[in-house]
């Protein structure tokens, strides 16, 4: 039996991971931490609330005392870190929130992990950090796909804040020996996605007869990854991943934005 602390667990990908994990590992305990802001919805987890192996905690990864308490009280041995501000447009309007959550919050988690695992001599644990392919910047239509060896070139405050968090995770492994893994995923879609993202936003607008928000001519190319496939990739990393490694998780499923919208229509 494992004790998993999942941050951002009431959000889109986090809640899907909770469902995915319980389907395959019903004996494990999940401590679900979420600030329950605009993108985190308690109802995403209603199927598990009240169950013996599940505990939902409302709180922020910026609260160091809370993180220390959770590590101690629940004897955490796996941390899966989804919690993040994640919308490019919001990062342009309010970059402070992205620095606080994505950088300071991740640093707080690393400090708690170091204190309760390394400093106390725990050996069997893993800190898994969930990141994004946005840290690599953008590609021209003829460019090859990103790899784990691609240079970082973030182009927005969101991407820069996630890049910074990636570097912090790497630094805690290299400097202190903390057991970490990182995954950088492409664009996810699926159940419980907040409707500011392209697919749910356009679907809702189509159903309600509203105009469809497409940037420019919609020629931007994105790789689309179904959220359960992302969860499966993380499970493989937790089970078989090499400590200190970064893994890119993509769908091999590139579409221009205009093609996605036309398909939904």
């Amino acid at each position: 039996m494992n004790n998993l602390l999942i941050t951002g667990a009431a959000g889109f990908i986090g809640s899907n991971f909770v469902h995915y994990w319980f389907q395959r590992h019903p004996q494990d305990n999940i401590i679900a931490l979420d600030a329950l802001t605009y993108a985190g919805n308690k109802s995403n987890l209603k199927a598990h609330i009240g169950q013996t192996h599940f505990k939902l905690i409302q709180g922020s990864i910026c609260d160091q005392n809370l993180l220390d308490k959770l590590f101690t009280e629940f004897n955490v041995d796996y941390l899966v870190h989804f919690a993040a501000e994640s919308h490019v447009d919001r990062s342009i309007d309010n970059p402070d929130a992205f620095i606080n959550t994505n950088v300071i919050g991740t640093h707080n988690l690393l400090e708690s992990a170091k204190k309760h695992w390394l400093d106390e001599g725990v050996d069997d644990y893993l800190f898994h950090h969930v990141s994004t392919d946005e840290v690599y910047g953008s590609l021209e239509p003829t460019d090859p796909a990103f790899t784990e060896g691609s240079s970082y070139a973030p182009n927005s405050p969101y991407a820069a804040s996630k890049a910074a968090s990636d570097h912090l995770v790497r630094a805690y492994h290299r400097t202190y020996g903390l057991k970490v893994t990182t995954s950088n995923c492409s664009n996810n879609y699926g159940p419980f996605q907040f409707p500011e993202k392209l697919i749910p936003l356009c679907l809702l607008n189509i159903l309600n007869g509203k105009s469809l928000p497409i940037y420019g001519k919609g020629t931007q190319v994105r790789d689309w990854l179904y959220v359960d496939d992302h969860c499966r990739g993380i499970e493989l990393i937790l089970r078989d991943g090499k400590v200190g490694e970064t893994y890119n998780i993509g769908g091999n499923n590139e579409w221009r934005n205009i093609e996605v919208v036309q398909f939904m229509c």
Side-chain angles (χ1 to χ4, degrees):
M1 178 184 293
N2 295 307
N3 300 317
L4 283 78
L5 173 58
I6 300 176
T7 71
F12 164 44
I13 306 176
S15 61
N16 276 282
F17 185 80
V18 170
H19 299 312
Y20 179 95
W21 196 263
F22 269 141
Q23 287 173 2
R24 289 156 180 79
H25 309 276
Q27 76 284 356
D28 285 350
N29 297 311
I30 288 181
I31 305 94
L33 176 64
D34 201 288
L36 296 178
T37 55
Y38 77 95
N41 194 329
K42 190 176 180 179
S43 66
N44 291 348
L45 299 169
K46 63 182 180 181
H48 306 295
I49 292 174
Q51 293 185 352
T52 304
H53 293 290
F54 180 76
K55 181 73 173 179
L56 176 61
I57 309 290
Q58 182 175 358
S60 170
I61 59 172
C62 294
D63 185 343
Q64 188 78 70
N65 291 332
L66 172 62
L67 298 179
D68 289 341
K69 178 182 176 183
L70 294 179
F71 269 85
T72 300
E73 181 178 347
F74 295 103
N75 194 27
V76 173
D77 45 25
Y78 281 90
L79 171 64
V80 186
H81 175 32
F82 292 101
E85 295 285 346
S86 65
H87 194 245
V88 172
D89 290 349
R90 286 180 183 268
S91 78
I92 295 169
D93 294 336
N94 182 20
D96 289 3
F98 287 72
I99 300 303
N100 288 333
T101 299
N102 299 353
V103 182
I104 304 302
T106 299
H107 178 251
N108 288 345
L109 283 166
L110 289 163
E111 275 293 290
S112 290
K114 177 179 175 294
K115 181 187 304 182
H116 295 277
W117 289 335
L118 282 183
D119 296 353
E120 294 182 10
V122 177
D123 184 60
D124 190 11
Y125 69 87
L126 184 68
F127 184 119
H128 181 70
H129 173 58
V130 181
S131 190
T132 171
D133 63 357
E134 294 273 354
V135 300
Y136 300 125
S138 58
L139 293 174
E140 297 299 324
T142 58
D143 288 342
F146 294 125
T147 71
E148 288 84 353
S150 296
S151 298
Y152 275 40
N155 292 325
S156 68
Y158 161 57
S161 67
K162 290 298 289 184
S165 67
D166 292 5
H167 293 320
L168 281 170
V169 172
R170 173 185 169 88
Y172 268 68
H173 170 64
R174 290 300 183 113
T175 303
Y176 304 110
L178 190 70
K179 294 180 180 180
V180 306
T181 49
T182 295
S183 56
N184 296 82
C185 68
S186 55
N187 287 44
N188 281 222
Y189 69 98
F192 309 126
Q193 189 167 27
F194 191 74
E196 67 186 356
K197 303 293 187 176
L198 178 67
I199 289 179
L201 176 60
C202 286
L203 280 174
L204 287 171
N205 283 11
I206 290 168
L207 291 171
N208 290 289
K210 296 181 179 179
S211 61
L212 304 181
I214 300 170
Y215 288 104
K217 295 182 179 180
T219 56
Q220 303 92 335
V221 176
R222 300 286 184 269
D223 178 70
W224 292 97
L225 174 67
Y226 186 62
V227 66
D228 270 5
D229 292 329
H230 185 187
C231 295
R232 183 160 53 91
I234 293 173
E235 179 187 35
L236 287 170
I237 295 168
L238 295 180
R239 189 182 71 195
D240 299 325
K242 180 181 177 182
V243 169
E245 281 289 345
T246 293
Y247 297 90
N248 286 354
I249 304 177
N252 290 324
N253 184 32
E254 291 187 346
W255 294 54
R256 293 185 301 159
N257 285 350
I258 190 66
E259 295 171 335
V260 173
V261 175
Q262 289 169 339
F263 180 80
M264 288 189 288
C265 288

